[in-house]
Amino acid sequence: MTTLNHTDASLLPAWKALETHQLAMQAYSMRDAFAEDPQRFAKYSLQHEGLLLDFSKNLLTEQTLELLQDLAQQTGVKAAIQQMFSGEPINGSEQRPALHTALRRPIGDRLEVNGQDIIPEIHQVLQRITELVGKIHNGLWRGYTEKAITDVVNIGIGGSFLGPQLVSEALLPYAQQGVRCHFLANIDGSEFHELSQQIQAETTLFVISSKSFSTLETLKNAETARSWYFAQGGCPDKLDRHFIAVSSNTQAAEQFGIASANVFPVWDWVGGRYSLWSAIGLPIALSIGIANFKELLAGAWDMDQHFQSAPFKQNMPMLMALLGIWYGNFWGAQSQAILPYDHYLRNFTQHLQQLDMESNGKQVRQDGAQLNYQSGPVIWGGVGCNGQHAYHQLLHQGTLLIPADFIVPIVSYNPIGDHHQWLYANCLSQSQALMQGKTLEEATAELQAAGYSTAAVTAIAPHKVIPGNRPSNTLVLERVSPRNLGALIALYEHKVFVQSVIWGTNAFDQWGVELGKVLGHEVYQQLIGSHSAAAELDPSTQGLIQFFRQRHRG
Ligand code: F6P
C-alpha cells in the first residue's frame, strides 16, 4: 500500500488549533482588515510567471496562514509531493503511481518506474504525435478518396474528452488552419446526428480516445461512426486512414479494427482526468500545432517546479488547497464556485468538476478508515459575466458560504472597443462586492437619498443588505496562452492533490462510478426485454422501465 498520510487529520494539533482559531475569527471583517492594512493586497498576493494570485479577499490573518501551514506539515504534504513526483505508488487502491507530471518533463530527464526510465518512451510518443500532426496539417494524411483530412472527431468521454476539449477551445486563437476538431462524448444519438451533418466521411479522421477501451459511451459512438463511415461509401480496406485510437488497451483497440500502427499508448500511471498531457491530448496538438502543445506542457512543468520548490507562503497550489480546506472543514462551505471571465475558458469549470470531484469525492482514507470530516466540495460555476445575471445573486445574498475563484486574463485576443475593460471591471467588482457587501445603514442611507418614505425605507432596506465578508481568490493570467493555460491547469491539479493528502484520501481512483456502470447494463437488458436480465430491480426502477416499454415506439 501507499506510504501516503493515513492519519485522521481531525486528531492533529493543527486541526484542533484551526477549530479554535475559527471561533476567534467569527467576528473577523475583511472590510476592516483592508481598511486597517493598506498592504494587505501586497502581502496576500503572489506572481509566478504569467499568473498572479490575489488571495487577500479571504478570511485570513497571519495566524490563519501559520496554522494552515502547520496542518500541511503535520499531514506530510511536503513528503507526499516528492512521492508523487518520484513515482511512488501513491494511488493505493490501484497500487500504482500517479505520474501525469512525468508527461511534462523535458527530454533528457530521468524517472525510473519499476526499474525503467519512462521519459524516453514519453518523448517517443510525443514524436509520433508530432509526425501525425505534421502529416495532417500538411495534407499528407489522405482519406479513402485521396482527399486531405479536414475534420478530426475525438470520440471519448470524461478525461478523454473534457481536458482536450477545454484546451483546444481555450486556445482557439492558436488554431492552425485547415483542420477542424470536433468532440463526440455522449451516448445520446442526437449528438452523433448533429455532428454527422457537419462532416464528410472521406475527409474525416476519428480518434477513439479511451484509456481502457471499454467505456460504453465511447465504444457505442465508435461503432456508430464506423457504420456511418461504411454507409457513406467508406472503403473497408482504407479504414486505417479514418480511425486511430489512443488507449492503454492496445488489444481491444485492434480487435475493434484499428491498425496497430494507429494506436497511441497511454500508461496506467496516468489517470483519465490528468491525461490531457499524454496522447489523449492529440486533438489539442492537431488543433493548435505541436509547438504550442509543447508550450502547454512547458507551462505545466513550470508550475510543477514551483509547486515542488516554493515555500508555503509563496506556493500557489498549496495556498489554494489550504484555503479550500479552511472553508470546507472549518467554516462549513460545501461548494466552490469557479468563475472564469473569459469566453475561451468557458469550459474550465467543467474540466475542474471532473478533476476535483472525481479526485476528491471520497469518503474513506487511503487505509480504508471512514472519514469523519468533509472531503471534496461541489465544484460549479461558469463564465462571467453571464453568471452575474443568473446565480451570483445566491453568492451575494444566499445563506450559504461559497468561496469563489475568479479567473481573468489581462490581454484579450479580441479587443473590440472597450469590451475587455468592461469584462475585467465586472470580474473585479464581483469579488469586491462579495467582500465588501452593504450594511443596513448603507442601504438605508441609499434609499433615503433616493427620496423613499420612511416606511418604505424600513420595509425595503433589509432586502438590500448584502452580508459581504465572502471569500474569493482572483487569478489573473497575462493572457490565455498555451504556457499560461498549462500552468493554470497544473495549478488546480496540485491543489486537488494537496487537499487529498491532508484528508488522507486517494485522489487517483474513482471506484464510485463503477456501480452505475454495472447497473446500467442490467437496466438496459430489462429495457429491451432480454431473457438474460436477472437482477431483481427496485420497484421505482421497474416502474420506469415499464413506462418506457409501454410508450416507446421504435
Ligand atoms: O467513468 C469514469 C472514467 O473512468 C473517468 O475516470 C475517465 O476519464 C472516463 O471514465 C473515460 O475513461 P476511458 O478513457 O477509459 O474511456
Side-chain angles (χ1 to χ4, degrees):
M1 284 296 273
T2 168
T3 47
L4 282 187
N5 169 37
H6 286 181
T7 46
D8 177 343
S10 66
L11 301 176
L12 294 168
W15 188 285
K16 306 269 179 222
L18 279 161
E19 281 173 341
T20 311
H21 178 59
Q22 195 272 342
L23 294 176
M25 290 283 284
Q26 294 290 322
Y28 181 79
S29 154
M30 275 193 259
R31 229 194 214 209
D32 294 348
F34 273 105
E36 283 159 19
D37 183 2
Q39 291 307 310
R40 189 172 168 89
F41 170 75
K43 246 192 228 167
Y44 299 133
S45 63
L46 61 120
Q47 279 184 58
H48 181 72
E49 298 283 329
L51 301 186
L52 175 137
L53 169 65
D54 169 20
F55 61 103
S56 60
K57 293 191 187 95
N58 276 291
L59 300 164
L60 74 90
T61 63
E62 273 306 301
Q63 194 191 356
T64 320
L65 278 182
E66 290 298 327
L67 293 174
L68 289 170
Q69 181 172 10
D70 291 348
L71 184 64
Q73 261 153 16
Q74 289 169 22
T75 48
V77 170
K78 205 91 198 128
I81 294 171
Q82 288 325 311
Q83 286 170 340
M84 175 172 74
F85 278 90
S86 62
E88 287 193 31
I90 58 169
N91 175 352
S93 72
E94 295 178 320
Q95 297 177 0
R96 47 170 96 134
L99 271 175
H100 44 287
T101 54
L103 298 162
R104 287 111 62 150
R105 281 187 190 247
I107 197 156
D109 260 23
R110 277 188 68 82
L111 182 64
E112 288 199 2
V113 174
N114 299 327
Q116 205 191 333
D117 182 8
I118 61 168
I119 305 301
E121 205 188 330
I122 290 170
H123 282 271
Q124 278 158 22
V125 175
L126 200 53
Q127 184 53 33
R128 282 186 60 199
I129 296 173
T130 306
E131 283 158 19
L132 177 79
V133 170
K135 278 187 196 157
I136 291 178
H137 285 175
N138 295 317
L140 301 172
W141 184 291
R142 304 266 163 166
Y144 65 89
T145 56
E146 299 303 331
K147 285 190 184 159
I149 295 298
T150 56
D151 293 87
V152 174
V153 177
N154 186 82
I155 303 182
I157 199 163
S160 300
F161 158 55
L162 292 165
Q165 185 210 31
L166 159 68
V167 178
S168 32
E169 293 192 3
L171 296 177
L172 206 62
Y174 295 79
Q176 307 289 305
Q177 297 296 314
V179 54
R180 289 177 294 266
C181 283
H182 312 266
F183 292 89
L184 179 62
N186 204 344
I187 204 164
D188 186 335
S190 301
E191 197 174 328
F192 183 82
H193 169 77
E194 293 299 334
L195 171 69
S196 66
Q197 309 299 302
Q198 302 167 38
I199 53 175
Q200 305 292 323
E202 58 180 345
T203 52
T204 297
L205 176 71
F206 291 98
V207 182
I208 305 171
S209 192
S210 175
K211 185 183 158 191
S212 61
F213 218 88
S214 67
T215 303
L216 172 74
E217 296 87 341
T218 301
L219 294 187
K220 204 79 213 153
N221 277 326
E223 282 163 14
T224 300
R226 189 177 50 189
S227 306
W228 175 83
Y229 166 82
F230 291 133
Q232 300 294 305
C235 201
D237 59 352
K238 297 210 171 121
L239 197 72
D240 61 340
R241 297 187 182 197
H242 295 275
F243 284 83
I244 67 172
V246 183
S247 186
S248 59
N249 189 350
T250 312
Q251 207 186 355
E254 287 176 14
Q255 267 164 15
F256 177 86
I258 308 285
S260 60
N262 278 355
V263 183
F264 288 75
V266 267
W267 300 274
D268 67 356
W269 42 255
V270 193
R273 52 198 175 272
Y274 300 89
S275 65
L276 70 92
W277 321 99
S278 71
I280 295 282
L282 200 51
I284 303 173
L286 280 165
S287 166
I288 63 174
I290 201 70
N292 287 322
F293 185 65
K294 286 182 178 169
E295 274 291 290
L296 180 84
L297 297 177
W301 178 236
D302 186 72
M303 181 53 69
D304 293 343
Q305 288 165 296
H306 164 80
F307 178 48
Q308 287 181 87
S309 60
F312 167 81
K313 285 183 188 167
Q314 281 115 47
N315 194 311
M316 285 193 191
M318 195 90 86
L319 285 165
M320 288 180 68
L322 285 158
L323 285 167
I325 298 241
W326 177 224
Y327 297 119
N329 294 110
F330 301 93
W331 290 84
Q334 295 191 342
S335 82
Q336 159 85 58
I338 305 290
L339 309 170
Y341 275 66
D342 184 81
H343 177 70
Y344 292 118
L345 289 177
R346 64 194 179 280
N347 294 319
F348 192 66
T349 309
Q350 255 183 304
H351 173 66
L352 282 199
Q353 282 182 325
Q354 190 202 13
L355 174 66
D356 199 318
M357 293 164 81
E358 210 173 63
S359 298
N360 280 339
K362 305 292 162 62
Q363 49 149 356
V364 295
R365 296 200 308 261
Q366 289 260 12
D367 63 2
Q370 196 72 32
L371 293 185
N372 61 7
Y373 38 80
Q374 185 180 305
S375 60
V378 175
I379 302 292
W380 65 281
V383 77
C385 301
N386 299 11
Q388 290 174 209
H389 302 276
Y391 41 76
H392 281 221
Q393 163 65 29
L394 185 141
L395 293 176
H396 292 293
Q397 283 189 315
T399 53
L400 304 171
L401 174 74
I402 303 176
D405 285 356
F406 291 89
I407 304 169
V408 65
I410 300 269
V411 175
S412 164
Y413 288 108
N414 304 293
I416 300 169
D418 57 359
H419 280 237
H420 192 63
Q421 284 79 350
W422 274 113
L423 183 74
Y424 195 86
N426 267 278
C427 175
L428 267 48
S429 64
Q430 286 299 304
S431 64
Q432 188 192 13
L434 283 170
M435 180 273 289
Q436 196 172 285
K438 188 187 284 182
T439 63
L440 185 61
E441 293 69 40
E442 286 165 345
T444 304
E446 203 178 271
L447 289 163
Q448 283 166 343
Y452 282 82
S453 69
T454 309
V457 169
T458 311
I460 299 170
H463 298 276
K464 298 195 96 181
V465 170
I466 297 174
N469 224 22
R470 302 215 160 163
S472 68
N473 295 314
T474 302
L475 272 162
V476 184
L477 281 74
E478 207 124 314
R479 63 179 70 225
V480 184
S481 64
R483 204 178 179 93
N484 291 339
L485 183 61
L488 180 72
I489 298 170
L491 162 60
Y492 277 95
E493 289 178 352
H494 297 324
K495 172 200 164 179
V496 163
F497 175 62
V498 169
Q499 294 187 329
S500 74
V501 174
I502 291 172
W503 291 320
T505 53
N506 182 355
F508 302 107
D509 62 9
Q510 59 284 320
W511 299 105
V513 297
E514 296 305 321
L515 176 62
K517 289 184 190 173
V518 174
L519 294 180
H521 283 279
E522 187 57 39
V523 171
Y524 172 79
Q525 294 304 332
Q526 301 213 10
L527 207 62
I528 62 166
S530 161
H531 296 302
S532 69
E536 183 68 12
L537 298 178
D538 66 83
S540 158
T541 309
Q542 272 178 31
L544 293 166
I545 289 173
Q546 285 318 319
F547 191 66
F548 181 89
R549 282 170 61 84
Q550 282 156 12
R551 309 274 170 126
H552 185 67
R553 302 274 174 274

